[in-house]
Amino acid sequence: MSVINPDRSYWLKTMLKIADPVLHALEKRQLKQVMPVETVGSKDRTTYTYLEALARLLNGMAPWLERKHEKKEEEQLRQRYAQLAREAIKAGTDPNSPDYMHFANGGQPLVDTAFLAHAMLRAPHELWEKQDKQTKYNVIQALQQTRAQKPAFNNWLLFSAMIEVFFYKTGESDWDLVRIDYALKQLEQWYIGDGLYRDGSLFHFDYYNSFVIHPMLVDILAAVGHEYPDWQERYEDVLKRGRRYAEILERQISPEGTYPPVGRSLAYRFGAFQALSQSALRKDLPLNLTPAQVRSGLTAVIKRTLAIPGMFQEESWLQIGLSGHQPNIGEGYITTGSLYLCTAIFLPLGLSTEEAFWQDPPEEWTAKRAWAGKDFPIDAALHDH
């Protein structure tokens, strides 16, 4: 019988430390009462921050919550947290709950309702099918409210599409194929090559290809691509581009576990590696990346980030920053709830403990080999393969 990889134990402990304050507060219907809300700038973002915390947290936890685990201790934890997650969704979508969340008016609810929909798509059995009838009704009503919101002409098109994909998967007869089709066709227009998409009419050198674009494109097409031939034809190109972008992300991890602090939303911390983590979860890594080197590189990133004091405030709530507490890197749209997108790095916890990702011994990742004078694979653009 295999033993638990210490990296997995560390990942799980870290994820649950991040999750505990949010889920336990929602269990008690006290999130709005006890969650500290840190913001930068003059705008009051309190209205939106609670949905951000719930949706983004569950988006990263979902694959772990969905899969029954081989080890008794971890399975008992999973069952406990799956129950907490269902209760959290119930608390946030029940109009009579003191923690009922804001799903209408303003653009932000569209964003985080999509993250919640994505979480339920990633864990359909635990986060959706096990819900009681009233909670399912409340969730549908909450998601439908966002249809009145006009998405920005950028990655937000994928948020509208993701919500419609959720309606499709749950059997809602009025799912809107046009919102999905428009997002897919427009993102194709924004593809600029070598695994990278523009985020709107202009290219942004940031991590939004990982925060949103690749993960949502892949999962949208995995869910509904078979409905139309042109969607299905696009799927393989999206997967190829995703593998190339995962390759680029892995090469961003320095020998010390740092990565370039470029672009918007750096306060999402190691959520910047969602696309690489999703490729590992899907067992769809590029051929020149082994699961063990990806695990080792991502573990280095997590440990390097947590090594600096200040990521957490009292009661383990997250604070704004990339490395420690750095409130000045928070854009005007960043609040405490926003920060829970960091959990997207933990997607591979949804893999069996028997998989190579968790079973194989540690390996040096690309930059660590390169800067130690060791052989490492030459890099090549996607169109050069």
Side-chain angles (χ1 to χ4, degrees):
M1 181 177 291
S2 62
V3 298
I4 296 294
N5 185 294
D7 286 348
R8 184 181 179 93
S9 298
Y10 175 75
W11 282 43
L12 183 57
K13 180 181 178 181
T14 304
M15 183 180 74
L16 297 184
K17 179 179 180 178
I18 294 169
D20 276 344
V22 177
L23 295 183
H24 288 302
L26 281 164
E27 181 187 31
K28 299 173 183 176
R29 305 298 192 270
Q30 293 179 351
L31 183 66
K32 292 183 179 180
Q33 179 182 333
V34 303
M35 177 176 158
V37 180
E38 182 182 19
T39 60
V40 178
S42 58
K43 291 185 178 179
D44 181 7
R45 303 286 294 183
T46 305
T47 302
Y48 311 120
T49 194
Y50 308 108
L51 177 59
E52 287 183 296
L54 170 66
R56 297 171 186 223
L57 172 66
L58 294 186
N59 196 35
M61 293 184 73
W64 178 71
L65 295 172
E66 183 72 357
R67 190 186 173 282
K68 184 176 180 179
H69 294 286
E70 299 84 3
K71 307 299 182 182
K72 181 179 178 180
E73 183 178 356
E74 185 171 338
E75 174 58 15
Q76 289 174 339
L77 273 176
R78 184 196 71 84
Q79 290 182 22
R80 168 63 176 146
Y81 278 88
Q83 177 60 38
L84 281 172
R86 288 191 294 274
E87 193 65 26
I89 293 172
K90 184 175 183 178
T93 58
D94 178 2
N96 297 315
S97 165
D99 279 334
Y100 179 64
M101 296 171 181
H102 190 85
F103 296 95
N105 301 323
Q108 191 64 44
L110 173 63
V111 176
D112 293 291
T113 304
F115 280 127
L116 181 59
H118 199 181
M120 292 186 287
L121 193 68
R122 284 172 164 167
H125 180 63
E126 293 292 341
L127 297 184
W128 175 251
E129 293 169 12
K130 285 189 174 183
Q131 294 283 12
D132 60 76
K133 185 176 181 180
Q134 182 61 52
T135 300
K136 288 181 177 179
Y137 174 82
N138 290 341
V139 168
I140 295 296
Q141 291 299 111
L143 268 62
Q144 286 179 342
Q145 291 183 57
T146 65
R147 284 175 161 173
Q149 304 307 314
K150 178 177 176 289
F153 193 58
N154 54 23
N155 70 87
W156 283 34
L157 298 179
L158 291 168
F159 299 141
S160 292
M162 179 59 72
I163 292 166
E164 298 306 318
V165 169
F166 177 75
F167 289 146
Y168 168 86
K169 294 296 285 186
T170 55
E172 290 294 305
S173 60
D174 67 339
W175 66 282
D176 187 350
L177 66 91
V178 175
R179 294 178 200 234
I180 299 172
D181 191 59
Y182 180 47
L184 295 176
K185 287 179 177 175
Q186 189 57 59
L187 264 293
E188 186 64 27
Q189 294 300 310
W190 288 336
Y191 181 67
I192 58 174
D194 204 21
L196 294 170
Y197 292 86
R198 296 198 309 269
D199 185 16
S201 57
L202 297 175
F203 177 70
H204 296 72
F205 198 94
D206 57 27
Y207 293 102
Y208 271 77
N209 270 267
S210 190
F211 290 141
V212 176
I213 294 172
H214 279 287
M216 287 203 175
L217 271 177
V218 167
D219 282 352
I220 285 169
L221 283 168
V224 301
H226 60 278
E227 283 290 331
Y228 292 93
D230 60 317
W231 292 358
Q232 192 62 42
E233 290 169 8
R234 185 165 288 124
Y235 189 32
E236 186 53 42
D237 283 339
V238 165
L239 291 177
K240 288 178 182 177
R241 296 165 185 174
R243 285 190 288 271
R244 171 56 180 160
Y245 187 65
E247 189 175 47
I248 292 170
L249 279 177
E250 190 270 348
R251 286 176 178 254
Q252 301 300 305
I253 304 172
S254 78
E256 300 77 29
T258 60
Y259 54 97
V262 297
R264 303 165 290 165
S265 303
L266 289 174
Y268 299 160
R269 290 187 171 92
F270 38 60
F273 291 91
Q274 177 176 196
L276 177 58
S277 289
Q278 180 172 270
S279 291
L281 172 69
R282 290 173 47 81
K283 294 184 279 188
D284 192 29
L285 290 169
L287 293 177
N288 64 351
L289 293 184
T290 69
Q293 80 180 87
V294 172
R295 184 196 77 233
S296 299
L298 292 177
T299 301
V301 169
I302 298 168
K303 288 184 174 180
R304 182 66 177 81
T305 302
L306 268 70
I308 306 299
M311 180 170 173
F312 300 99
Q313 55 181 291
E314 293 181 9
E315 307 295 331
S316 295
W317 297 97
L318 293 176
Q319 297 193 112
I320 295 173
L322 171 68
S323 176
H325 187 210
Q326 300 159 313
N328 287 335
I329 71 160
E331 292 88 351
Y333 55 83
I334 296 292
T335 72
T336 302
S338 315
L339 312 179
Y340 287 86
L341 193 58
C342 70
T343 59
I345 199 173
F346 299 115
L347 296 177
L349 283 170
L351 289 169
S352 165
T353 57
E354 306 297 322
E355 292 285 350
F357 187 91
W358 296 114
Q359 278 296 305
D360 288 354
E363 291 184 29
E364 294 177 324
W365 51 100
T366 302
K368 190 165 186 178
R369 294 188 61 81
W371 290 104
K374 299 178 181 179
D375 286 336
F376 67 100
I378 193 170
D379 193 35
L382 182 59
H383 56 267
D384 290 338
H385 283 284

